[in-house]
Amino acid sequence: MVNKAALLMENRKIKIADSPMPEMKSGYVKVKVEYCGVCGSDVHFYSFGEPEFPDVYPFILGHEFAGTVVETADDVTELKVGDRVCVEPGTYCGKCEWCRKGKYNLCKNMEFLSAPRTLGAMREYITHPAELCFKLPENVSTLEGALVEPLAVGMSSVIRSGIHVGDSAVVLGTGCIGLVTVMALKAAGVTDITAVDLFDIRLDKALQLGASRVINTKDKDSVSEILKYYGGIGPDYVFETAGSRYTAESAVYICKKGGIIMQVGNITGETSLNLQRMCDKELTLMTNFRYRNVYPVCIEAISAGRIHVKDIISEIYPLENAMQAFEDCINNKQSMVKAVLRISED
């Protein structure tokens, strides 16, 4: 059986070729991958690689995916051949301190698809633990299923923040994670949502997906511009999703006294926070790493029509055009929210 894959050969070079068929294990299922999203982390690896793993090539990227079960191990009873599933990509050990505490996303032995040396999902067939494969309702498409993974990041940050109906929220950054955070906030009943970015094309999308208002802070002081909308005292919550040290630093000045800052974006390098200002305002700084136990919540929200996750898709590419999809993500950053690969036909 052929297992066609997008093989990353070196920085910014992908070759479409056959790859080994993954091994079946006890408790596993084999999934025929139909759609796989392109994550920002995939684009980073495609562009720069990882210095710690110079010998990892050829490598397979991708961890936002869904497909159809084509084989099950003998001891799997909760899934059957023909079931459509979305897949939580991180396999945890279940034995370390963090797993025992229920915080499996922090597992010290985590094997996360597309994080070296674990091959990702941009291939036709993959095997994965059945307990991490979630059956999709009939009214949720496999394409929507592939978008559950990025949605889970935004959903996790909203749930863990403790935000309630009636609270106000500012979302800094309207890339993919910022937009799914807006969607998750709206689904949670939050109606005062301000989205902030430097590009109108992204802010227009935020309005479409549920933001109450948008602010373009290009060539402006972001703090003063945002505070205008909140009587000079700021919102109850600030969600930093841009992954920028500058927006993270500004969150301290934006957030209301007694408010909560949720750091969602991944920031490279060190960030300077005004801790004294945080103390004076008695702010709470929270952080969010990936997700845990939220896939069922995301699936239900999509199925119930509270979140139209397909609206974040910018373009769908056939597997053969995988390299073009990555190049477009690099060259069209303002307009490219989510590129998706069609790995195989439904």
Side-chain angles (χ1 to χ4, degrees):
M1 183 182 292
V2 174
N3 190 15
K4 190 164 56 174
L7 301 178
L8 181 63
M9 309 303 293
E10 58 186 65
N11 289 357
R12 301 185 75 161
K13 182 179 179 181
I14 287 177
K15 175 183 177 182
I16 306 301
D18 191 20
S19 64
M21 188 62 64
E23 176 186 359
M24 282 292 293
K25 303 177 184 177
S26 175
Y28 274 52
V29 297
K30 181 181 291 183
V31 176
K32 182 180 181 182
V33 181
E34 293 173 11
Y35 293 97
C36 185
V38 180
C39 177
S41 63
D42 294 323
V43 176
H44 179 85
F45 194 100
Y46 169 83
S47 302
F48 306 107
E50 289 291 342
E52 294 182 27
F53 302 95
D55 61 338
V56 77
Y57 304 99
F59 191 64
I60 301 176
L61 295 167
H63 55 265
E64 306 172 355
F65 70 105
T68 302
V69 175
V70 294
E71 184 181 348
T72 67
D74 293 339
D75 56 347
V76 171
T77 58
E78 62 270 30
L79 291 173
K80 66 182 185 302
V81 172
D83 284 343
R84 295 180 307 109
V85 295
C86 62
V87 180
E88 189 168 335
T91 302
Y92 50 89
C93 72
K95 299 177 181 179
C96 70
E97 173 187 350
W98 295 274
C99 284
R100 293 198 305 269
K101 289 180 178 178
K103 299 180 178 181
Y104 68 83
N105 59 314
L106 304 179
C107 173
K108 72 173 186 177
N109 302 307
M110 176 70 73
E111 294 183 359
F112 196 86
L113 296 176
S114 77
R117 301 182 181 272
T118 306
L119 297 178
M122 291 181 181
R123 46 180 159 160
E124 289 185 302
Y125 295 95
I126 193 169
T127 57
H128 207 67
E131 65 179 339
L132 295 173
C133 298
F134 297 84
K135 186 175 178 179
L136 296 172
E138 289 186 4
N139 69 333
V140 176
S141 68
T142 312
L143 176 59
E144 291 171 311
L147 301 173
V148 168
E149 199 278 341
L151 176 59
V153 177
M155 185 68 73
S156 176
S157 69
V158 169
I159 291 173
R160 293 189 60 249
S161 75
I163 195 168
H164 297 97
V165 173
D167 290 332
S168 56
V170 165
V171 178
L172 300 176
T174 54
C176 177
I177 298 303
L179 292 175
V180 294
T181 300
V182 168
M183 298 170 86
L185 285 166
K186 183 181 179 183
V190 180
T191 57
D192 187 344
I193 307 169
T194 302
V196 182
D197 207 302
L198 304 177
F199 305 110
D200 286 336
I201 191 167
R202 290 187 173 190
L203 292 171
D204 290 343
K205 177 64 74 170
L207 280 174
Q208 175 190 339
L209 298 180
S212 314
R213 70 187 65 83
V214 296
I215 302 175
N216 188 323
T217 57
K218 185 177 182 181
D219 301 323
K220 299 177 183 178
D221 179 75
S222 60
V223 175
S224 60
E225 288 296 314
I226 294 167
L227 291 182
K228 287 179 184 177
Y229 290 87
Y230 292 97
I233 63 174
D236 300 299
Y237 287 78
V238 176
F239 291 81
E240 199 292 323
T241 71
S244 163
R245 58 168 293 189
Y246 303 106
T247 49
E249 291 167 0
S250 71
V252 174
Y253 300 92
I254 294 167
C255 197
K256 177 191 291 186
K257 286 184 178 181
I260 292 176
I261 299 169
M262 172 59 80
Q263 181 62 42
V264 188
N266 296 321
I267 302 175
T268 301
E270 297 184 358
T271 301
S272 298
L273 297 179
N274 189 328
L275 293 179
Q276 188 57 55
R277 180 60 65 92
M278 292 181 69
C279 290
D280 292 343
K281 297 175 75 173
E282 203 172 87
L283 299 178
T284 298
L285 174 62
M286 301 183 69
T287 60
N288 185 81
F289 182 67
R290 292 177 182 158
Y291 39 74
R292 57 178 179 265
N293 302 317
V294 297
Y295 261 52
V297 177
C298 295
I299 294 169
E300 191 278 335
I302 296 170
S303 179
R306 284 191 288 274
I307 292 180
H308 301 286
V309 72
K310 285 197 296 186
D311 289 344
I312 70 171
I313 297 175
S314 301
E315 191 164 348
I316 300 174
Y317 301 78
L319 178 61
E320 289 74 15
N321 293 350
M323 188 166 164
Q324 184 62 55
F326 277 87
E327 288 295 319
D328 286 351
C329 288
I330 293 171
N331 298 319
N332 304 325
K333 290 182 180 180
Q334 292 186 28
S335 58
M336 182 66 77
V337 175
K338 176 58 61 180
V340 177
L341 297 183
R342 186 176 64 250
I343 307 297
S344 61
E345 298 298 329
D346 297 6

